[in-house]
Amino acid sequence: MARHRQRPAGPIIGVYHYERPCGTTIWTAAWYELTPDGTRKKRSAQYSYGTPQSRYASSEAAMQAVIRRREEEEARWYCVRVIIDV
C-alpha cells in the first residue's frame, strides 16, 4: 500500500526542498519534457543556497527561482500550438 506524505513537499507541485548527504540544502524543480518521439522524460533543476559557492544567499531567494523555473517549464509543457489552414 502506498504511503502518503504527512505534509506537502514544497510550496507548489513539482518543487521540493532537499538536504544532500554532504550537508548542503537545495530547492529542486521537477517537470516532464516531451521528446521528439512522443514520450515523456523527467527533468529537474537544482538551486543551492547558503554556502559561498551557491548562487543564492537565502532559502527564500532559491525557492522563488525554482518556482519561476517550474512555472516556465509547465507553461512550455501545456502550450498548445494551433495551426490554421486558410
Side-chain angles (χ1 to χ4, degrees), residues 8-29:
I12 65 169
I13 294 173
V15 173
Y16 308 97
H17 191 255
Y18 177 70
E19 187 172 336
R20 292 177 174 161
C22 63
T24 59
T25 50
I26 59 172
W27 281 97
T28 301

Side-chain angles (χ1 to χ4, degrees), residues 21-61:
C22 63
T24 59
T25 50
I26 59 172
W27 281 97
T28 301
W31 65 92
Y32 288 97
E33 189 174 274
L34 194 59
T35 59
D37 65 354
T39 59
R40 294 184 309 165
K41 187 170 187 174
K42 189 172 184 178
R43 298 286 188 185
S44 65
Q46 292 82 29
Y47 294 78
S48 62
Y49 65 91
T51 64
Q53 301 91 338
S54 299
R55 187 173 179 182
Y56 300 97
S58 69
S59 175
E60 184 66 29

